[in-house]
Amino acid sequence: MHRSIAIISALIVLNLHQSLDAQLTGYWQQNVDYDISVTLNDVNHTLTGNITMLYTNNSPDELTFIWMHLWPNAYKDNHTAFAKQKVLTGSTDFYFAKDDERGYIDNLEFSVNGTVVPLTYDAENPDIAKITLFKPIASGETVSITTPFRVQIPKCFSRMGRVGQQYQMTQWYPKPAVYDKKGWHPIPYLDQGEFYSEFGNFKVQITLPENYIVGASGDLKTAAEFDKLNALADKTAATTLTETSLDFPPSSTTTKTLQYELKNSHDFAWFADKRFHVMRSSVVLPESERTVLTYVYFTNQHKEEWIKACDYVNRSVLFYSENVGEYPWNIAQAVDGTLEVESAGGMEYPTITVLGGDYDAESLDNVVTHEVGHNWFYGIIGSNEREHPWMDEGINSYYENRYMDAYYNRGNALGLPTFILDKLGVDTNNVDNVQYHMYQTMARQNKAQAINLHSTDYTMINYGVGVYLQSAYIMKYLEDNLGTDEFDRIMRKYYKTYQFKHVYPEDMKALFEAETGENFAWFFDMIINDALGPDYKISKFQKGKTAMAVDITNKSEIPASFSVSLMEGDSVLRTDWFRGFTGSQTLYFNYKPEWNVTHLKIDAQRKMPESERENNTIQTAGIFKTIEPLQVKFIVLGVDNPDRTTVTVSPILGWNENNKFMLGLGLWNAAMPTPAIDFVAAPMYAFGTSELVGQGSIGYNLYPKKGFINRLRIAESVSSYSYGTYQLLTTGETTTIFPQYLKLQSKAEIDFRKKVLSNKLSHSISYRNVFIRENDAFFSLDDNGDFVESYANEYMVNEVAYYLKSPTTLFPQFLKVVGEMGDDYTKLSLTYNTKIHYPGMTKGIDVRLFAGAFLGEAGDDKHNFTLAGNNGYYDDLYDEIYLGRNTSDRLLANQISLSDGFFKVPVYNYGLNSDNMLAAGNFEFAIPKVPLIGLFADVAYVAPGTAAENLDAFQYDAGVMIRLPKNIFAIYFPLVMSANLADAFDPETTTYSDKISFMLSLNTLNIFEIIRKLEF
Ligand SMILES: [Zn+2]
């Protein structure tokens, strides 16, 4: 950081030092010493035992009750906070779990100092209860709280649980909630959202069948077992593991009792499996020269990778000890286990960590390091993870990135293969570059969230991108600001000050201010609470002989420190960091006369969490000081370089039945983050028709930061392909014509802002004007029978649409209302989609309801409501992509689209559509345990009209379908159909295959549309 402003700080330093000392003097925390003894029954999957907690009230307050966490009850039923969150995040495994797969804690009878006390469950959360004390606990007093308990161990749906006879005992015993300076913190167990517990000492005694191998928090005090474990590890090291079986051997009929002790900890976890291999090692800590034993436990499934895992534990214990502070415990361990937490690779507990899933060597090291690192940022420094997840995940991810940079020369927190990142144009040298692009994209679309939110306020993607990656990125910014040495010095002080203590962001701020003598409100009050970050703008450049001056304006209220670089092209000549300010200031730079400074740039190294970066550069020469140089890339779905207008060029191939093979050039600009103006052009030469075809669009994207509109897009698009192949019989010869259509569309879309970003419900509206010109739509023959002229059919349609999306897990709903106005008709339609689960199952019935009606006269019959989904002819706005539009090819002609009545019988005869009104219901039945195959049934009511006068009002069909997810592709085999439909197939000229239809929705694969919306 720029250090020239230390003059004012002398006084502040003094004050801050005093206030920090005062704060630590007044600091208090409760102490809980546990003595737990349990027995595992691996037939009934239960744990029975007793717990004694010596609870010391170090608060200045008298306590009349204590909140208890009974977290095994999170797995009790579908009404727990955990169960509800699982559903919210899209998982139905627990929701549809059988009763014998769930878990709970019971047999509780709490006594305080020997007297039984009442236990009252929280009305909302069965995993939180209050014990009421007959005699209040005075400040400074210690009481003994005891209870017997039994845990029914659930299948593994999250962290605690069993997988066969592998037991992961985490969050398994009754435990007081934290009482701190902010009061009580009773919190239900959650998947997304971690923990906060009181420190104390643990004595744990576990009885279980003799042949289990156990990895547990703390020191194993049972000497015979310790020897046995070491002998096992030495045997594993000396032999080559050839076994591949994952079967569980029978359990011994005899049992053993293991004793563990752990001091200064806020949790205790253990893992038991009869199949575990063990490896052991140790490291000597550099400062105290104390030895830390390291162990890893794994099954045959991942033995190749895990055999080396002790090295990773060793190296990470040393890395964190050196960079943060010495590891305080005697043992560090990692377990190859199972995790069912949304996209989580591992889970940390004091001195022991569990990893789920498959890893190669590097990613295993990466995850082991992350989880071992949590011993520091969670285990030793006990921040409130539920309310401030960045303080453990973010800070820990920052050190994890440093570790990966040190040992692999790159960060890889995303786990994305390098070749993909290279293709995206992302510099993979460090993870911060990857995060930079992710953050820019999210921020541009108003989808970024500040890093200091409560864990339950995050969208699923932001719990990863925000809490882990963006927090790490922001910590790196803090490091760059202070310089690595100074940052490390302060973080070591942070570690020493808050080791075995609770800490909040304001405490961390006070410490940084005391240590530096600077005001850190801009960081700890503003940066971490702001999703968009500061916005510095550079303007008004003046140049002298050896110095230059620029005006910098902070358009935000965050006086974040920033850097300015003198640049020659892409090379940085000089970078200076500045203390942040609000408003405007003129900054001066010295430069050497021989330097050819081409421009000045704010944050050239992309260190700042600044989302608006278009105003960061000023050219020092030329009249177009703000224009971006052009950069052309080949075959890259590019990330945006804010200094370049990036154009991507790629050869493209296409095919349809009418145009045959098409070859052309695709041109588009960068996709991430969505640029203000985007374009795609795909002109192609069609070899079948010898004509120029293709499509293109140019769009303007606005993401207002305030108000009810979250996204506004205005786009012009054009497309032109052949829409048929017609044979014209003229005198003596056949002429083939390939009539071509031209579509011009102007469209405006508005997505309304959600009140809460993590809300599922969203609304949007759109308006478009579509002009269609069909060349050679009409043709005539002269007296000689020659084809003489053709002329075009033209029409224009205006369409207004409203969309409601509520993609919840149990009851997803989608509504679309469309009004379409042509020259001579107006029609209205409504489509509603939902899913009904079979009782107790994830699978179910996909339901689509459609109703459409003409208001008054209907126009040309191609605008009619079709009973079958539209085909090439009835797709009047040329929205769908057909392999053979209007083709006579039997196979390709049976492509239908998800529209109108969506019957799976490909009939488009006159009369099987309506110029009046059509209502239909489409039902797709999934078959339990059978993937891809389903049953369909459709019913429709067709109102009598000119077109439908000979039709029965009620129509139906049903059959079997093969489908891919997300309505991308499906094939339909009708088995029954109403009489009018059956009559459409002349038994003389048709076969069953003519009745088979397919749907191919290529529009759903539009990558540009997906990136523009990022709907996670
Ligand atoms: Zn973590």
Side-chain angles (χ1 to χ4, degrees):
M1 186 173 174
H2 186 64
R3 314 231 99 254
S4 64
I5 319 140
I7 323 142
I8 330 156
S9 311
L11 287 170
I12 309 172
V13 175
L14 214 66
N15 275 328
L16 289 171
H17 267 304
Q18 280 169 352
S19 66
L20 182 72
D21 287 340
Q23 178 207 12
L24 283 178
T25 312
Y27 179 88
W28 53 267
Q29 72 187 17
Q30 308 296 67
N31 188 81
V32 190
D33 291 336
Y34 297 85
D35 195 335
I36 312 173
S37 107
V38 282
T39 302
L40 171 72
N41 178 329
D42 69 349
V43 179
N44 301 329
H45 311 299
T46 58
L47 211 57
T48 47
N50 292 283
I51 181 168
T52 300
M53 296 169 258
L54 292 179
Y55 187 98
T56 305
N57 178 15
N58 291 321
S59 82
D61 314 316
E62 194 176 79
L63 299 180
T64 55
F65 63 85
I66 292 174
W67 281 111
M68 280 286 167
H69 288 157
L70 305 170
W71 280 344
N73 276 347
Y75 305 96
K76 195 173 179 169
D77 56 38
N78 285 341
H79 305 295
T80 66
F82 160 73
K84 289 176 192 162
Q85 191 185 54
K86 270 285 190 192
V87 167
L88 199 68
T89 53
S91 166
T92 52
D93 289 358
F94 183 74
Y95 189 84
F96 293 121
K98 297 187 191 79
D99 282 347
D100 64 1
E101 296 172 338
R102 296 174 187 241
Y104 51 82
I105 183 167
D106 65 0
N107 277 8
L108 296 161
E109 190 179 54
F110 281 93
S111 295
V112 175
N113 289 342
T115 308
V116 174
V117 293
L119 181 71
T120 319
Y121 284 89
D122 181 62
E124 298 284 305
N125 301 291
D127 54 346
I128 303 175
K130 183 189 265 185
I131 55 171
T132 308
L133 306 166
F134 291 121
K135 183 174 163 287
I137 313 176
S139 177
E141 192 188 349
T142 300
V143 293
S144 164
I145 305 168
T146 59
T147 181
F149 68 98
R150 180 179 68 166
V151 175
Q152 179 65 53
I153 304 164
K155 251 184 67 178
C156 187
F157 291 107
S158 178
R159 299 179 180 94
M160 190 252 265
R162 58 187 157 91
V163 182
Q165 280 179 321
Q166 181 180 74
Y167 295 93
Q168 305 194 148
M169 301 315 301
T170 65
Q171 284 93 23
W172 54 282
Y173 55 93
K175 192 177 187 183
V178 170
Y179 185 68
D180 67 12
K181 63 182 177 186
K182 300 191 180 190
W184 280 105
H185 297 271
I187 48 175
Y189 176 84
L190 289 178
D191 222 41
Q192 180 181 312
E194 294 185 346
F195 314 112
Y196 190 37
S197 308
E198 302 286 15
F199 283 92
N201 299 331
F202 283 83
K203 275 188 184 158
V204 177
Q205 189 169 292
I206 301 162
T207 302
L208 76 178
E210 186 84 50
N211 60 337
Y212 273 89
I213 316 290
V214 178
S217 295
D219 305 331
L220 174 59
K221 292 290 178 183
T222 313
E225 182 72 9
F226 187 62
D227 294 343
K228 193 177 136 189
L229 215 55
N230 288 341
L232 198 66
D234 297 343
K235 200 183 111 198
T236 307
T239 49
T240 311
L241 301 176
T242 50
E243 287 271 318
T244 53
S245 167
L246 291 173
D247 296 340
F248 292 93
S251 294
S252 313
T253 47
T254 52
T255 60
K256 62 183 173 185
T257 297
L258 312 176
Q259 307 260 9
Y260 294 91
E261 280 184 29
L262 180 61
K263 291 208 178 346
N264 291 322
S265 176
H266 56 66
D267 206 357
F268 188 100
W270 55 282
F271 304 85
D273 194 318
K274 291 174 281 188
R275 307 165 303 171
F276 274 152
H277 299 292
V278 183
M279 286 293 282
R280 66 163 177 152
S281 181
S282 64
V283 283
V284 177
L285 299 178
E287 212 177 301
S288 64
E289 299 185 346
R290 216 160 37 80
T291 299
V292 175
L293 304 178
T294 53
Y295 286 80
V296 296
Y297 311 85
F298 54 97
T299 65
N300 283 332
Q301 194 177 359
H302 300 121
K303 56 179 190 286
E304 283 83 9
E305 297 79 23
W306 275 81
I307 201 97
K308 295 192 201 80
C310 264
D311 296 349
Y312 311 143
V313 178
N314 287 347
R315 199 159 70 176
S316 46
V317 165
L318 281 177
F319 183 86
Y320 276 79
S321 290
E322 278 165 14
N323 287 291
V324 185
E326 274 221 344
Y327 188 68
W329 295 304
N330 305 320
I331 190 165
Q333 306 154 91
V335 178
D336 169 24
T338 311
L339 272 177
E340 297 292 342
V341 182
E342 228 48 68
S343 67
M347 187 63 211
E348 64 277 9
Y349 298 94
T351 78
I352 193 160
T353 173
V354 60
L355 277 73
D358 308 317
Y359 299 94
D360 61 19
E362 181 181 330
S363 60
L364 183 63
D365 188 1
N366 196 162
V367 180
V368 163
T369 298
H370 177 93
E371 305 308 337
V372 167
H374 271 302
N375 278 299
W376 280 260
F377 300 101
Y378 144 86
I380 303 164
I381 299 171
S383 56
N384 184 335
E385 299 180 285
R386 182 66 58 91
E387 286 180 26
H388 305 284
W390 74 274
M391 293 187 79
D392 62 298
E393 295 303 351
I395 298 177
N396 184 38
S397 296
Y398 159 79
Y399 282 103
E400 168 205 340
N401 290 345
R402 270 177 76 164
Y403 175 96
M404 293 305 285
D405 274 342
Y407 293 106
Y408 297 91
N409 200 22
R410 71 193 180 101
N412 190 23
L414 285 178
L416 287 177
T418 314
F419 76 92
I420 291 182
L421 295 173
D422 289 346
K423 271 275 172 275
L424 284 168
V426 175
D427 172 9
T428 48
N429 283 332
N430 71 66
V431 71
D432 300 322
N433 265 319
V434 180
Q435 175 54 20
Y436 165 82
H437 290 293
M438 301 204 60
Y439 170 68
Q440 294 300 324
T441 304
M442 302 290 286
R444 179 77 56 88
Q445 301 196 7
N446 298 329
K447 284 175 180 166
Q449 289 176 288
I451 63 165
N452 187 33
L453 298 185
H454 192 285
S455 41
T456 56
D457 290 340
Y458 285 101
T459 59
M460 238 164 78
I461 184 167
N462 275 337
Y463 195 67
V465 173
V467 172
Y468 289 71
L469 305 180
Q470 185 64 6
S471 300
Y473 184 85
I474 287 176
M475 288 305 290
K476 172 79 176 131
Y477 164 55
L478 191 58
E479 178 207 319
D480 288 326
N481 229 291
L482 290 161
T484 308
D485 291 347
E486 175 70 347
F487 176 85
D488 283 352
R489 183 188 70 77
I490 299 171
M491 286 304 286
R492 284 193 197 101
K493 177 80 187 222
Y494 173 66
Y495 172 82
K496 281 219 164 65
T497 309
Y498 288 101
Q499 122 180 113
F500 310 127
K501 287 192 178 66
H502 299 314
V503 58
Y504 282 93
E506 58 268 30
D507 306 321
M508 198 174 178
K509 174 190 171 196
L511 186 134
F512 268 77
E513 293 189 332
E515 290 300 316
T516 58
E518 309 256 342
N519 183 328
F520 271 87
W522 62 272
F523 187 87
F524 289 98
D525 297 340
M526 302 171 104
I527 289 271
I528 65 171
N529 292 309
D530 195 291
L532 298 175
D535 178 14
Y536 285 103
K537 180 186 166 174
I538 192 164
S539 60
K540 233 180 157 188
F541 161 80
Q542 283 172 301
K543 195 173 171 186
K545 279 207 175 92
T546 56
M548 45 182 87
V550 283
D551 288 359
I552 306 263
T553 305
N554 187 349
K555 294 175 77 186
S556 76
E557 297 299 317
I558 308 172
S561 82
F562 63 97
S563 70
V564 178
S565 299
L566 307 187
M567 311 285 295
E568 179 180 354
D570 286 339
S571 312
V572 174
L573 298 168
R574 175 197 175 126
T575 297
D576 289 286
W577 277 89
F578 294 89
R579 192 193 185 96
F581 55 78
T582 53
S584 297
Q585 285 192 8
T586 304
L587 303 180
Y588 300 91
F589 300 87
N590 294 326
Y591 72 101
K592 295 180 182 155
E594 65 267 27
W595 285 359
N596 174 26
V597 180
T598 54
H599 56 290
L600 274 77
K601 191 170 177 186
I602 297 170
D603 193 28
Q605 291 87 356
R606 297 174 178 175
K607 304 283 193 189
M608 290 176 76
E610 185 183 29
S611 58
E612 176 51 63
R613 310 180 78 91
E614 299 288 337
N615 53 12
N616 281 14
T617 307
I618 190 164
Q619 311 288 132
T620 57
I623 21 168
F624 300 107
K625 286 190 179 174
T626 54
I627 215 156
E628 297 173 354
L630 190 73
Q631 181 182 48
V632 178
K633 287 185 184 179
F634 289 91
I635 332 178
V636 175
L637 186 68
V639 291
D640 186 37
N641 177 346
D643 313 321
R644 301 276 187 279
T645 298
T646 310
V647 177
T648 302
V649 179
S650 167
I652 46 171
L653 276 174
W655 184 89
N656 72 49
E657 170 68 12
N658 301 316
N659 293 110
K660 305 297 182 196
F661 274 103
M662 298 171 276
L663 179 66
L665 203 61
L667 288 149
W668 57 86
N669 62 340
M672 287 177 76
T674 309
I677 292 172
D678 65 60
F679 65 87
V680 181
M684 291 186 282
Y685 180 77
F687 290 94
T689 55
S690 307
E691 284 184 67
L692 188 69
V693 296
Q695 63 196 84
S697 70
I698 181 160
Y700 172 65
N701 303 293
L702 190 69
Y703 295 91
K705 300 300 167 204
K706 286 194 204 98
F708 64 95
I709 295 175
N710 189 65
R711 179 180 83 107
L712 167 68
R713 175 174 169 79
I714 298 168
E716 294 292 326
S717 60
V718 56
S719 62
S720 183
Y721 294 94
S722 291
Y723 63 91
T725 307
Y726 297 120
Q727 310 286 332
L728 289 183
L729 196 63
T730 53
T731 40
E733 54 188 296
T734 305
T735 309
T736 305
I737 62 162
F738 309 98
Q740 203 159 337
Y741 75 85
L742 172 72
K743 173 182 179 177
L744 297 173
Q745 173 177 291
S746 308
K747 187 174 185 180
E749 295 167 80
I750 288 176
D751 295 346
F752 295 107
R753 194 182 305 279
K754 293 177 180 179
K755 277 208 179 68
V756 178
L757 198 59
S758 53
N759 256 356
K760 296 272 181 187
L761 189 74
S762 66
H763 307 263
S764 53
I765 53 171
S766 70
Y767 161 76
R768 61 175 171 153
N769 171 283
V770 182
F771 168 80
I772 302 289
R773 176 192 170 99
E774 293 166 331
N775 287 327
D776 301 319
F778 303 101
F779 35 82
S780 59
L781 302 177
D782 65 10
D783 295 342
N784 300 325
D786 284 329
F787 170 60
V788 285
E789 63 178 2
S790 66
Y791 51 98
N793 180 35
E794 293 179 350
Y795 54 95
M796 193 182 279
V797 171
N798 289 297
E799 184 201 81
V800 182
Y802 164 79
Y803 302 86
L804 179 149
K805 291 183 192 170
S806 175
T808 61
T809 310
L810 295 178
F811 188 34
Q813 299 185 86
F814 304 89
L815 177 69
K816 179 169 95 174
V817 182
V818 182
E820 185 183 318
M821 285 139 284
D823 297 337
D824 47 3
Y825 72 95
T826 300
K827 68 180 188 178
L828 205 63
S829 70
L830 185 151
T831 312
Y832 172 80
N833 288 78
T834 187
K835 178 179 176 175
I836 299 166
H837 288 270
Y838 297 141
M841 284 187 184
T842 304
K843 284 191 168 182
I845 310 166
D846 289 319
V847 178
R848 175 178 178 272
L849 303 175
F850 174 84
F854 280 91
L855 309 179
E857 291 295 298
D860 190 89
D861 80 302
K862 72 186 300 162
H863 307 299
N864 284 1
F865 294 111
T866 56
L867 193 55
N870 288 335
N871 67 349
Y873 177 73
Y874 287 100
D875 177 30
D876 56 343
L877 301 184
Y878 287 83
D879 286 334
E880 300 294 332
I881 298 167
Y882 291 93
L883 296 178
R885 194 181 277 270
N886 297 323
T887 182
S888 55
D889 179 283
R890 266 301 180 188
L891 173 69
L892 297 181
N894 285 3
Q895 181 180 353
I896 61 174
S897 71
L898 211 174
S899 53
D900 292 16
F902 196 42
F903 267 46
K904 283 64 171 195
V905 181
V907 283
Y908 295 97
N909 306 26
Y910 279 68
L912 287 168
N913 52 65
S914 176
D915 58 1
N916 181 355
M917 191 206 139
L918 177 85
N922 312 119
F923 307 91
E924 293 184 9
F925 303 84
I927 303 174
K929 297 202 168 82
V930 182
L932 303 180
I933 296 174
L935 304 174
F936 68 84
D938 305 301
V939 291
Y941 167 78
V942 188
T946 329
E949 57 188 353
N950 297 320
L951 274 192
D952 296 332
F954 178 72
Q955 303 287 340
Y956 65 88
D957 71 350
V960 179
M961 62 190 287
I962 301 169
R963 60 173 178 177
L964 295 183
K966 308 265 179 214
N967 285 324
I968 288 170
F969 178 70
I971 308 177
Y972 306 98
F973 303 90
L975 297 174
V976 292
M977 58 185 78
S978 47
N980 291 139
L981 298 176
D983 291 348
F985 296 93
D986 180 355
E988 299 284 309
T989 57
T990 59
T991 63
Y992 180 74
S993 63
D994 296 320
K995 298 177 188 173
I996 300 168
S997 58
F998 73 98
M999 181 191 66
L1000 176 63
S1001 183
L1002 295 170
N1003 282 336
T1004 50
L1005 300 175
N1006 184 337
I1007 184 83
F1008 297 105
E1009 194 70 8
I1010 292 167
I1011 292 175
R1012 271 200 296 272
K1013 290 188 176 174
L1014 280 182
E1015 286 174 337
F1016 299 112

